[in-house]
Amino acid sequence: RYLCIDDILFLKADNNTTDFHMSDGTIIGAYKTLKTFEECLPTNFLRIHKSYIINSNFISRIHYGKSICTLSNNQHKLPFTKTFKYNIDIINDLYYKNVITSN
Protein backbone atom coordinates (compact mmCIF):
# COMPACT_ATOMS: atom_id res chain seq x y z
CA ARG A 1 0.00 0.00 0.00
CA TYR A 2 1.26 3.47 -0.86
CA LEU A 3 0.86 6.41 1.51
CA CYS A 4 1.28 10.12 0.89
CA ILE A 5 4.00 11.19 3.30
CA ASP A 6 2.42 14.64 3.69
CA ASP A 7 -0.72 13.02 5.12
CA ILE A 8 1.03 11.06 7.90
CA LEU A 9 0.56 12.67 11.34
CA PHE A 10 2.61 10.19 13.32
CA LEU A 11 3.68 6.57 13.60
CA LYS A 12 3.00 4.52 16.70
CA ALA A 13 4.78 1.28 17.58
CA ASP A 14 2.71 -1.68 18.67
CA ASN A 15 5.11 -4.54 19.50
CA ASN A 16 6.56 -5.55 16.13
CA THR A 17 3.99 -3.66 14.07
CA THR A 18 3.57 0.05 13.33
CA ASP A 19 0.38 2.05 13.03
CA PHE A 20 0.34 5.04 10.67
CA HIS A 21 -2.06 7.72 11.90
CA MET A 22 -3.21 9.77 8.93
CA SER A 23 -4.52 13.35 8.78
CA ASP A 24 -7.96 12.13 7.67
CA GLY A 25 -8.29 10.04 10.84
CA THR A 26 -7.55 6.63 9.37
CA ILE A 27 -5.06 4.25 10.93
CA ILE A 28 -3.07 1.95 8.69
CA GLY A 29 -1.10 -0.96 10.10
CA ALA A 30 2.20 -2.29 8.83
CA TYR A 31 4.09 -5.41 9.85
CA LYS A 32 7.46 -3.77 10.39
CA THR A 33 9.07 -2.17 13.41
CA LEU A 34 9.20 1.56 14.05
CA LYS A 35 12.98 1.49 13.64
CA THR A 36 12.58 0.23 10.06
CA PHE A 37 10.50 3.27 9.14
CA GLU A 38 12.66 5.68 11.15
CA GLU A 39 15.59 4.96 8.85
CA CYS A 40 13.75 5.69 5.59
CA LEU A 41 11.45 8.64 6.41
CA PRO A 42 12.35 12.24 5.49
CA THR A 43 13.96 14.61 7.98
CA ASN A 44 10.68 16.19 9.13
CA PHE A 45 9.84 12.86 10.84
CA LEU A 46 11.55 12.65 14.21
CA ARG A 47 11.51 10.06 16.97
CA ILE A 48 10.16 11.61 20.17
CA HIS A 49 9.49 8.47 22.23
CA LYS A 50 10.35 4.79 22.02
CA SER A 51 6.85 4.26 20.59
CA TYR A 52 6.36 7.39 18.46
CA ILE A 53 7.73 9.08 15.37
CA ILE A 54 6.06 12.41 14.65
CA ASN A 55 5.70 14.49 11.50
CA SER A 56 7.04 17.82 12.74
CA ASN A 57 4.95 19.70 10.15
CA PHE A 58 1.83 18.99 12.21
CA ILE A 59 3.06 20.09 15.65
CA SER A 60 1.18 23.07 17.07
CA ARG A 61 2.54 23.09 20.62
CA ILE A 62 5.40 21.63 22.63
CA HIS A 63 4.71 21.52 26.36
CA TYR A 64 8.05 20.87 28.05
CA GLY A 65 6.55 20.78 31.57
CA LYS A 66 4.21 17.90 30.74
CA SER A 67 6.49 16.39 28.05
CA ILE A 68 3.73 16.47 25.44
CA CYS A 69 3.54 17.48 21.78
CA THR A 70 0.13 18.63 20.56
CA LEU A 71 -0.68 18.18 16.90
CA SER A 72 -2.35 20.91 14.86
CA ASN A 73 -5.73 19.21 14.88
CA ASN A 74 -5.62 19.14 18.73
CA GLN A 75 -6.96 15.60 18.75
CA HIS A 76 -3.61 14.02 19.49
CA LYS A 77 -1.26 14.75 22.35
CA LEU A 78 1.85 12.62 22.13
CA PRO A 79 4.37 12.10 24.91
CA PHE A 80 8.08 12.66 24.47
CA THR A 81 10.86 11.37 26.67
CA LYS A 82 14.18 12.75 27.85
CA THR A 83 15.94 10.24 25.62
CA PHE A 84 14.55 12.01 22.54
CA LYS A 85 14.41 15.57 23.94
CA TYR A 86 17.16 16.51 21.50
CA ASN A 87 14.73 15.94 18.61
CA ILE A 88 12.09 18.07 20.35
CA ASP A 89 14.66 20.86 20.68
CA ILE A 90 15.40 20.59 16.94
CA ILE A 91 11.69 21.02 16.16
CA ASN A 92 11.38 23.93 18.59
CA ASP A 93 14.45 25.69 17.13
CA LEU A 94 13.14 25.22 13.59
CA TYR A 95 9.76 26.78 14.43
CA TYR A 96 11.41 29.59 16.37
CA LYS A 97 13.66 30.48 13.43
CA ASN A 98 10.71 30.42 11.02
CA VAL A 99 8.69 32.76 13.23
CA ILE A 100 11.58 35.20 13.60
CA THR A 101 12.40 35.30 9.89
CA SER A 102 8.80 35.65 8.71
CA ASN A 103 8.19 38.94 10.58
Side-chain angles (χ1 to χ4, degrees), residues 29-91:
Y31 293 103
K32 291 186 180 182
T33 63
L34 200 61
K35 184 175 178 78
T36 304
F37 295 110
E38 182 180 18
E39 295 168 356
C40 64
L41 286 167
T43 58
N44 58 309
F45 285 85
L46 294 167
R47 187 103 180 228
I48 60 166
H49 187 277
K50 69 176 185 171
S51 298
Y52 292 100
I53 294 175
I54 195 165
N55 183 344
S56 63
N57 295 336
F58 287 100
I59 294 178
S60 63
R61 181 173 188 212
I62 298 172
H63 195 299
Y64 281 94
K66 293 183 180 180
S67 299
I68 291 176
C69 288
T70 304
L71 300 182
S72 56
N73 61 7
N74 285 328
Q75 294 179 356
H76 299 284
K77 294 182 179 185
L78 305 178
F80 63 87
T81 58
K82 290 179 182 177
T83 305
F84 298 101
K85 185 180 173 291
Y86 176 76
N87 286 341
I88 295 296
D89 292 338
I90 289 172
I91 295 166

